Amino acid sequence: MKNISYRLLGVKINLLSMDQLNSLVEEAVESNTKRIIANHNLNSLYIYHHDSEMRDFYKIADYVHIDGMPLIFMGKLLDIPCKKLHRVTYADWVWSLMSEAADKKWRILYLGSKPGVAEKGVSNLKKEYPDIEINTLHGYFSNNDDDPYHEVILNKIVSYQPHILMVGMGMPRQENWILNNIDKIKTNVILPCGACMDYVAGATKTPPRWMGQVGLEWLYRLITEPRRLGKRYLVEPWFIALVFFKEYSTHFINKTFGLEKGA
């Protein structure tokens, strides 16, 4: 499936709906190719502009969908044809993805969360999708290459042969792990998925879905986890606002004076 990419606040994005994301997964599995489907939100944008390794990760990502309604709002102001359906967060997508996986017999390996949390999440998923093939490995290990758990992880990937590898260790750790191990990973689809399984397991409360649609999911998360998320939602957005102001100013001037490409 071809999908046009756009530049937004200095990063590449693809406008992808949930159904289109499922189609990308299916295409990779059926063609037996490796595909990284990443995502961007305000937090990842901040890290991207401050972390060279994060930028290296996004260079190897095949597709980058939007996970954050503020990016949809900013994209519209920059005349990018964003719609609400292009905002896909794992709290929503995981259920559609698991339904597809159960129907099509895709094997899933989830790497991340505290010991016991992912197992609880899998238990909840199997209540909804009894036929799903999914296994887990916890994400609590050292980033040092000499940590023996690295070998356990890579051996598990080889033996289990997952169609989909979900890596839920938070940004930028999950992206850095994928970047540093990409040549050793044999799977069709790699998904950096943050706290996805924590939501499924109930270890982290899922924000009311209407709040995400109006761009207020961040407020719910800030109220429920102020110590952990204070910097992310009260400090980092100011940097993003500055980046947006510069980009919007250039866009406005070019549009006003007919300097846009093709004008």
Side-chain angles (χ1 to χ4, degrees), residues 44-230:
S44 68
L45 279 175
Y46 179 87
I47 299 171
Y48 178 95
H49 287 289
H50 292 82
D51 186 328
S52 61
E53 199 165 13
M54 190 71 152
R55 292 193 290 275
D56 288 340
F57 166 77
Y58 280 100
K59 287 178 183 177
I60 67 171
D62 298 283
Y63 294 91
V64 184
H65 69 91
I66 296 175
D67 175 13
M69 193 57 71
L71 297 190
I72 297 293
F73 296 151
M74 287 185 281
K76 286 183 176 181
L77 290 172
L78 293 167
D79 290 332
I80 296 173
C82 304
K83 299 178 181 179
K84 284 188 176 182
L85 60 83
H86 294 135
R87 185 260 187 178
V88 181
T89 181
Y90 274 95
D92 300 315
W93 185 25
V94 64
W95 302 102
S96 175
L97 179 63
M98 294 302 155
S99 177
E100 290 285 312
D103 289 342
K104 296 180 171 63
K105 306 300 180 184
W106 297 337
R107 287 183 304 280
I108 299 174
L109 180 61
Y110 175 85
L111 169 63
S113 301
K114 294 180 180 179
V117 171
E119 290 86 346
K120 172 62 175 174
V122 167
S123 176
N124 290 342
L125 287 171
K126 286 189 173 180
K127 292 176 184 176
E128 190 74 22
Y129 312 108
D131 296 330
I132 195 168
E133 297 182 56
I134 184 169
N135 214 322
T136 67
L137 289 164
H138 71 76
Y140 274 61
F141 57 92
S142 169
N143 286 338
N144 297 327
D145 290 337
D146 58 359
D147 187 328
Y149 193 58
H150 275 129
E151 188 173 353
V152 172
I153 294 168
L154 296 173
N155 287 341
K156 183 70 171 183
I157 294 172
V158 170
S159 62
Y160 189 63
Q161 297 184 337
H163 297 105
I164 302 170
L165 175 65
M166 302 178 71
V167 186
M169 300 189 292
M171 293 179 170
R173 186 167 176 250
Q174 61 195 15
E175 287 79 11
N176 292 345
W177 186 88
I178 295 169
L179 177 67
N180 294 331
N181 293 279
I182 187 62
D183 293 334
K184 305 170 187 176
I185 299 172
K186 183 173 176 56
T187 186
N188 297 128
V189 181
I190 303 172
L191 303 175
C193 60
C196 169
M197 200 62 75
D198 294 61
Y199 287 123
V200 175
T204 300
K205 292 183 178 180
T206 302
R209 304 324 299 140
W210 67 266
M211 295 188 79
Q213 292 299 312
V214 297
L216 290 177
E217 189 167 306
W218 66 271
L219 180 60
Y220 178 91
R221 298 187 67 192
L222 177 62
I223 292 172
T224 55
E225 298 183 84
R227 293 174 65 91
R228 186 175 75 86
L229 299 176

Side-chain angles (χ1 to χ4, degrees), residues 207-256:
R209 304 324 299 140
W210 67 266
M211 295 188 79
Q213 292 299 312
V214 297
L216 290 177
E217 189 167 306
W218 66 271
L219 180 60
Y220 178 91
R221 298 187 67 192
L222 177 62
I223 292 172
T224 55
E225 298 183 84
R227 293 174 65 91
R228 186 175 75 86
L229 299 176
K231 178 176 179 292
R232 180 185 301 184
Y233 293 127
L234 297 178
V235 178
E236 293 179 5
W238 292 104
F239 172 82
I240 302 302
L242 179 60
V243 175
F244 172 75
F245 177 76
K246 291 179 178 178
E247 188 164 323
Y248 182 76
S249 297
T250 300
H251 172 74
F252 179 79
I253 292 172
N254 289 342
K255 186 176 181 179
T256 300

